[in-house]
Amino acid sequence: MSSVKDSKKIHVLHVDDDASFLEVTKQILELEAGFTVESAVSADEAIKKLSTTVYDIVVSDFEMPQKDGLIFLKELREQNSHIPFVLFTGKGREEVAIKALNMGANVYYNKQGSPETVYGELIHGIKLCVELKRSADLNKLAEARFSAAFNLNSVALCISDFETGLFIDCNEQFVNLFGYSREELIGRQSALILYTNPLDRQQILDLLNKNRHLLNYEVNFKTKSGKLITALFSAKLIEVKNQIQILTTILNISESKQMKEKLKTFAHLQATVAELGQYALTQPTIDDFLDKVANDVASALDVELCKVLELLPGGEELLLRAGVGWKKGLVGKAIVDAGDTSQAGYTLKSKTPIIVDDLRTEKRFSGPALLHNHSVISGISVIIGSLKKPFGILGAHTTHHQQFTKDDVNFMLSIANLIDAFIKLKNDKLELRKNELKFRTIADFARDWVYWISPERKFIYVSPSCEIITGYTPNEFIDNQNLIRDIVVSEDEAILGNHFDLFSSDNDHRLTFRIKTKTGQIRWIGHICQPVFDDSGNWLGRRATNIDITELKKVEHQLRVSERRWAVTLSSIGDGVIA
């Protein structure tokens, strides 16, 4: 079917068995109104033309051979053609006009009368009919587009009455989101079945009444199953047949909101671990550190009770070493059985984090009196330290039902590892101080010059005997790390330089070199050093002993002189001496 080239220009199909009348009408309509007019001398010819060409309107005579105008109209309507139809005839019978209008004709005009009047009315009628048809077509197209956009949209959409709140329509996404069928929704008030708080709808209506639209307003809804969802509510007031309606889009953001909350919580937990790590670097006492742990863990997990239990010697009992939320006087005194009847004991036995959903119905263990006396319901506990030699238990508990997540477990494990590392560091430092005291006691009173150099080649310790040998105090060596190189005589600098090149080796080193004391004396030094390692095999630097061997060198020198003299004496006596 050929289409119209100019969509604004009106294309008329004029049907009449009078060829001369067709020509006259064509000239008038095209000249006076600018229409494009094609002619047909019979209904059958008109139907053929309508099947191949698009026209805006049909103007037809009534009395025609074979098929009159009414039969022609009937066939068109039976073919589901809604093209505007004007009955333009010389027969002025009223019954014909009424019948034509009842059959779907748009208007009836009589050919009789002055041409100016007749054609003036015809032109006006054609324009009006085409304009109405085009407007109706546009409305239908708009409705079809709206219907497609409404029903096929991936977002939940609904239309409701502004005054009553009754549902008028909803799309499939809306049905899927809330779980109601369209039949269950249409005609019912949204405030009664969807809103968790009916006052939310009134607040939405107030905003719409003020602004005519609303964008991304966060609202809590409930589905048919009772599930709560959080959604972004956007709406616009529309007018349909003089009725104010609300076109609404609802975007479910429950999962994204939960994810944001989860990320926010996770970040808070990580920040707590980091803050406790920073606090540990300030070297607080163990008790102060554990007290802060208990408070920070309770705050981070939003629980009422937190505890740090220390496994006592013998492994049968646990001491409430630190905690928050417990009755006054219990921290530092309360004892918990380390057997598998308590949550803490069961955690030690199972060697894995334990989560309690409801202590009142717990079947794995009965729970200690400490928890029952504080009306504990939910809780989580992890081991502090190694599985073979644990320090104790870190636990968090609530007096209401609370679901602990995998992130909560990982958080507790991180805190437990931090506690273990802090306590080991404290104990190692205590042991180091004890060993250092022993070392200093021996080294400080030794006659030899003893020192310890760190892996960074810095003096950690220099014994007081250095002043007897070199004239320089221990602090002078510590303040000036290059002093030991500066006092070596120039001829022996290479010996000490080669030695420092082998500083990080695992071997013991022995060498001799000369130094110039603070008073200018030259002294021989016998140097012995060896690498130092801790119990874990970590290299801690080198320990060295410098001995003043000046007198020994003098004796050696005198001995060499004597030996040379004796050799000269023997050679001067000759062979005859021995006979």
Side-chain angles (χ1 to χ4, degrees):
M1 181 178 289
S2 62
S3 59
V4 176
K5 292 183 179 180
D6 187 351
S7 60
K8 293 183 179 180
K9 197 168 186 178
I10 296 177
H11 291 252
V12 180
L13 178 60
H14 186 196
V15 186
D16 199 298
D17 60 334
D18 187 340
S20 60
F21 183 72
L22 286 174
E23 184 60 30
V24 171
T25 302
K26 175 181 174 66
Q27 291 180 6
I28 294 174
L29 294 182
E30 289 184 342
L31 290 173
E32 296 296 328
F35 298 159
T36 297
V37 180
E38 292 189 24
S39 303
V41 295
S42 68
D44 289 336
E45 183 185 357
I47 289 174
K48 287 181 181 179
K49 287 194 172 187
L50 285 167
S51 66
T52 59
T53 307
V54 176
Y55 299 97
D56 294 307
I57 192 167
V58 172
V59 177
S60 177
D61 187 18
F62 169 63
E63 287 188 345
M64 293 183 293
Q66 298 178 341
K67 295 179 182 178
D68 62 25
L70 294 183
I71 296 175
F72 175 37
L73 174 60
K74 182 180 179 184
E75 288 187 6
L76 284 180
R77 297 304 183 235
E78 286 176 349
Q79 293 175 8
N80 203 29
S81 172
H82 300 288
I83 188 169
F85 192 96
V86 176
L87 193 62
F88 187 43
T89 179
K91 301 295 181 181
R93 298 199 304 268
E94 185 176 345
E95 64 272 16
V96 174
I98 293 174
K99 190 174 183 180
L101 294 174
N102 288 335
M103 291 176 63
N106 293 77
V107 67
Y108 165 86
Y109 291 111
N110 197 319
K111 295 179 181 178
Q112 304 298 323
S114 68
E116 183 178 351
T117 301
V118 170
Y119 284 104
E121 290 180 350
L122 179 62
I123 290 171
H124 175 74
I126 289 173
K127 288 182 177 180
L128 181 60
C129 289
V130 171
E131 184 179 341
L132 290 174
K133 178 62 167 60
R134 287 179 175 178
S135 178
D137 287 344
L138 288 175
N139 288 336
K140 286 181 180 179
L141 179 61
E143 288 178 4
R145 289 175 175 172
F146 175 80
S147 179
F150 183 83
N151 291 307
L152 300 178
N153 205 296
S154 60
V155 178
L157 298 172
C158 72
I159 300 174
S160 60
D161 182 73
F162 179 77
E163 294 295 333
T164 64
L166 298 177
F167 281 112
I168 297 172
D169 199 2
C170 61
N171 68 355
E172 186 176 354
Q173 291 297 329
F174 193 91
V175 168
N176 294 336
L177 177 60
F178 289 100
Y180 292 96
S181 66
R182 292 184 75 256
E183 291 72 22
E184 289 176 309
L185 290 169
I186 294 174
R188 298 183 65 186
Q189 283 189 320
S190 58
L192 298 180
I193 59 175
L194 299 186
Y195 290 88
T196 57
N197 182 1
L199 294 178
D200 284 340
R201 184 178 186 274
Q202 186 56 52
Q203 189 169 4
I204 288 172
L205 292 179
D206 292 342
L207 292 171
L208 282 173
N209 205 23
K210 179 180 178 181
N211 302 315
R212 305 289 295 178
H213 70 276
L214 188 61
L215 183 64
N216 293 338
Y217 185 82
E218 190 171 306
V219 186
N220 293 321
F221 292 106
K222 59 183 177 182
T223 66
K224 184 178 180 179
S225 65
K227 179 182 177 181
L228 299 179
I229 62 172
T230 302
L232 292 180
F233 182 102
S234 298
K236 184 177 182 180
L237 293 184
I238 59 176
E239 185 173 342
V240 180
K241 296 179 181 179
N242 298 321
Q243 180 185 14
I244 302 299
Q245 298 176 355
I246 306 173
L247 174 61
T248 301
T249 67
I250 295 179
L251 179 63
N252 185 6
I253 61 168
S254 299
E255 290 186 5
S256 62
K257 191 174 180 67
Q258 289 170 3
M259 182 59 68
K260 287 181 181 179
E261 290 298 323
K262 186 177 181 181
L263 290 175
K264 183 179 179 181
T265 301
F266 179 76
H268 179 54
L269 296 180
Q270 292 298 101
T272 301
V273 175
E275 289 172 5
L276 283 171
Q278 290 295 320
Y279 179 65
L281 296 177
T282 65
Q283 300 185 12
T285 65
I286 291 178
D287 287 337
D288 286 344
F289 182 70
L290 295 181
D291 285 342
K292 182 167 177 58
V293 165
N295 280 279
D296 288 3
V297 168
S299 175
L301 293 180
D302 194 22
V303 298
E304 301 97 316
L305 302 134
C306 182
K307 68 188 180 189
V308 177
L309 298 176
E310 181 180 1
L311 187 63
L312 297 176
E316 295 182 356
E317 293 179 322
L318 293 146
L319 171 68
L320 182 59
R321 178 73 181 266
V324 62
W326 308 100
K327 293 179 180 178
K328 187 176 180 179
L330 290 179
V331 175
K333 295 181 180 179
I335 299 295
V336 175
D337 183 23
D340 56 10
T341 58
S342 68
Q343 181 175 343
Y346 187 82
T347 304
L348 289 171
K349 181 182 178 181
S350 64
K351 299 180 181 180
T352 187
I354 296 297
I355 293 177
V356 174
D357 184 65
D358 193 333
L359 187 62
R360 297 167 298 184
T361 58
E362 180 59 55
K363 302 298 182 184
R364 294 170 294 180
F365 44 84
S366 58
L370 179 67
L371 299 185
H372 289 294
N373 291 342
H374 288 80
S375 302
V376 166
I377 294 178
S378 300
I380 181 174
S381 55
V382 298
I383 296 174
I384 302 171
S386 67
L387 299 178
K388 292 183 178 180
K389 193 177 180 181
F391 170 81
I393 294 292
L394 173 65
H397 307 276
T398 67
T399 58
H400 60 277
H401 184 264
Q402 180 169 325
Q403 286 187 326
F404 291 99
T405 66
K406 184 178 180 180
D407 288 339
D408 296 334
V409 172
N410 291 333
F411 167 71
M412 291 286 281
L413 288 172
S414 297
I415 297 296
N417 290 336
L418 186 60
I419 294 173
D420 180 54
F422 179 78
I423 291 175
K424 283 182 178 178
L425 180 62
K426 280 289 186 181
N427 291 337
D428 289 345
K429 286 185 176 180
L430 179 61
E431 189 66 25
L432 182 62
R433 282 196 294 271
K434 290 179 181 179
N435 293 334
E436 185 179 312
L437 180 60
K438 293 177 183 178
F439 175 80
R440 285 181 179 274
T441 301
I442 296 171
D444 285 354
F445 292 96
R447 293 184 59 83
D448 300 332
W449 170 19
V450 179
Y451 59 80
W452 180 6
I453 299 180
S454 72
E456 294 76 30
R457 304 192 180 202
K458 303 290 184 182
F459 283 110
I460 297 174
Y461 169 79
V462 181
S463 69
S465 298
C466 68
E467 189 171 5
I468 299 174
I469 297 174
T470 68
Y472 294 96
T473 66
N475 286 336
E476 287 180 289
F477 280 99
I478 291 174
D479 292 340
N480 182 3
Q481 296 288 327
N482 291 319
L483 181 57
I484 191 170
R485 291 176 180 266
D486 295 340
I487 64 176
V488 175
V489 298
S490 57
E491 294 84 354
D492 293 345
E493 286 179 355
I495 298 174
L496 195 64
N498 293 334
H499 169 61
F500 276 110
D501 290 340
L502 301 173
F503 177 77
S504 59
S505 72
D506 294 340
N507 300 322
D508 294 354
H509 296 163
R510 295 173 181 268
L511 63 149
T512 58
F513 56 88
R514 288 166 294 174
I515 65 168
K516 188 175 183 179
T517 67
K518 200 171 190 179
T519 59
Q521 295 178 329
I522 303 298
R523 288 191 175 175
W524 280 92
I525 301 297
H527 175 87
I528 304 172
C529 67
Q530 57 188 164
V532 180
F533 300 93
D534 63 13
D535 293 339
S536 300
N538 298 312
W539 183 49
L540 303 179
R542 298 189 77 87
R543 178 191 180 279
T545 300
N546 289 338
I547 304 172
D548 184 354
I549 59 171
T550 304
E551 295 302 320
L552 177 60
K553 284 291 185 179
K554 287 180 180 180
V555 172
E556 286 180 351
H557 177 69
Q558 291 174 356
L559 181 60
R560 283 196 297 274
V561 171
S562 298
E563 287 177 346
R564 284 196 298 270
R565 287 175 180 174
W566 177 245
V568 171
T569 301
L570 287 178
S571 64
S572 66
I573 293 176
D575 295 337
V577 175
I578 302 176

